[in-house]
Amino acid sequence: MSAHLVEKALELLCGNYIFADRAQAAAEGIRRRLAAGEYDGLDEEALGERLTAELFEVCQDKHLRVRTRAEDEREALTKPELEAVWREQQRLSGYGIARVERLDGNVGLLDLRFVTSADVGGRAIAAAMDLVSQTHALIIDLRRNRGGAPDGAVFWTSYFFPDGETHLNDIYEGATGQTRQFWSHAWLPGERYLDRPVYLLTSEATFSGGEEICYNLQAQGRAVLVGETTKGGAHPTDRFPITPTFEITVPVARSVNPVTGGNWEGTGVKPDVAVAAQEAFDVAYRLALQHVLASATAPTILAEARSALA
């Protein structure tokens, strides 16, 4: 049984991975181990952990994983079925928006756990941004953000630019050999968040689409990152079921930032203000309150800010 699972995983790897030479090198090593019987007797969970570790040894890619599938996904084997399950997960988890709050001193706080796609969660993103639109500064907590959709990252970050003229990211797709450009949106529902500071909270667990928000805003000089260097996964990924209970996730594209010419793969995104993740909110809130005290004129807001800072 394990031989069939391994061969199917390698077929999907070699047929889809954005770096074909690395896929071939990894597959050759795994096939040698397979022939030597090294995977005999492993259940799916143990086999997935073993293959993931061996793929990482060669490819150094944190998006490249073999694993058991979540229970609510095990009936979904085709792309439309996977899409339907994913949409339902998005809906039931608030489109990744765990918390929206106005803090004392008129500072906005958004807690984003993953990055929804614009077509699925665009209304929720617009609603969240509307609730913080009148604040003097904004904190976006990405410390537990595990990633998501590139178009969703662009939708979020478009609120921090005045028009559709900011080139945010490019994605090179291996299957077509084409590069897709991502620009800020020329029109958005609700107000944009301009001319006010944005602070992004990061941790070593911040990953993928969460990192894209960090990297793109940092490259454009539009946000201050506070916290830890992020996990380091920049390759857009597809999921391929091997069996109803077993799957491989394979990066099928790579990001190229138009400002830096690179991305955050393997290195993570380095913060502007390096502090332990658990201290990041306090540090960012202090910076935000100092901005409020320097820029606000309303006595009520100034009193709130002084009290909070004290």
Side-chain angles (χ1 to χ4, degrees):
M1 182 63 173
S2 60
H4 168 72
L5 297 178
V6 171
E7 285 295 347
K8 183 62 176 177
L10 295 181
E11 176 188 333
L12 292 167
L13 169 71
C14 293
N16 295 282
Y17 191 39
I18 182 63
F19 302 108
D21 55 339
R22 297 184 202 172
Q24 190 59 42
E28 289 173 359
I30 289 172
R31 285 195 172 101
R32 285 195 297 270
R33 297 183 187 100
L34 178 63
E38 294 187 21
Y39 307 122
D40 293 350
L42 297 181
D43 62 17
E44 285 185 347
E45 184 172 357
L47 179 61
E49 291 175 357
R50 177 76 179 272
L51 291 176
T52 297
E54 290 171 353
L55 289 170
F56 187 77
E57 284 181 9
V58 176
C59 302
Q60 298 290 301
D61 193 323
K62 293 176 181 177
H63 273 114
L64 186 55
R65 293 167 290 184
V66 184
R67 61 190 181 187
T68 54
R69 305 181 73 208
E71 284 192 32
D72 60 350
E73 299 174 344
R74 292 182 177 178
E75 299 301 318
L77 296 175
T78 66
K79 280 200 171 183
E81 290 169 344
L82 286 167
E83 176 76 10
V85 170
W86 182 78
R87 284 174 175 263
E88 182 67 359
Q89 291 171 341
Q90 301 278 294
R91 184 181 72 83
L92 294 177
S93 53
Y95 304 99
I97 305 167
R99 181 181 177 193
V100 185
E101 187 175 352
R102 177 198 175 276
L103 304 174
D104 284 349
N106 201 34
V107 175
L109 174 65
L110 296 173
D111 184 353
L112 305 185
R113 303 295 174 84
F114 59 84
V115 183
T116 186
S117 63
D119 66 324
V120 174
R123 289 193 304 170
I125 296 172
M129 289 303 301
D130 186 57
L131 288 172
V132 300
S133 64
Q134 303 307 310
T135 56
H136 284 74
L138 179 61
I139 298 170
I140 304 179
D141 191 346
L142 298 167
R143 289 175 293 181
R144 286 174 280 185
N145 193 292
R146 63 183 186 270
D151 70 284
V154 169
F155 194 88
W156 274 111
T157 54
S158 290
Y159 277 92
F160 308 116
F161 299 98
D163 48 37
E165 299 300 315
T166 303
H167 189 181
L168 295 170
N169 192 30
D170 290 337
I171 292 181
Y172 172 79
E173 299 176 348
T176 63
Q178 297 179 341
T179 297
R180 180 182 176 188
Q181 294 186 345
F182 290 84
W183 292 69
S184 56
H185 291 296
W187 180 88
L188 289 167
E191 294 185 37
R192 297 176 187 265
Y193 200 91
L194 306 175
D195 304 319
R196 287 162 284 173
V198 178
Y199 304 94
L200 307 181
L201 309 185
T202 63
S203 76
E204 62 182 11
T206 307
F207 191 53
S208 193
E211 293 179 283
E212 180 176 344
I213 292 175
C214 294
Y215 195 88
N216 292 350
L217 288 178
Q218 187 183 61
Q220 296 288 342
R222 187 58 188 90
V224 175
L225 274 59
V226 182
E228 299 171 342
T229 299
T230 61
K231 191 172 182 178
H235 298 148
T237 301
D238 278 348
R239 297 163 55 199
F240 299 94
I242 297 169
T243 72
T245 57
F246 202 50
E247 69 179 9
I248 183 171
T249 65
V250 182
V252 296
R254 58 183 174 86
S255 296
V256 182
N257 184 275
V259 175
T260 69
N263 60 41
W264 60 96
E265 180 65 36
T267 62
V269 188
K270 293 178 173 57
D272 301 296
V273 181
V275 296
Q278 62 267 28
E279 300 172 13
F281 170 77
D282 289 341
V283 172
Y285 190 24
R286 188 179 307 118
L287 292 171
L289 290 170
Q290 289 168 349
H291 167 78
V292 173
L293 289 174
S295 62
T297 58
T300 302
I301 300 302
L302 290 170
E304 280 187 5
R306 290 191 194 100
S307 177
L309 193 58

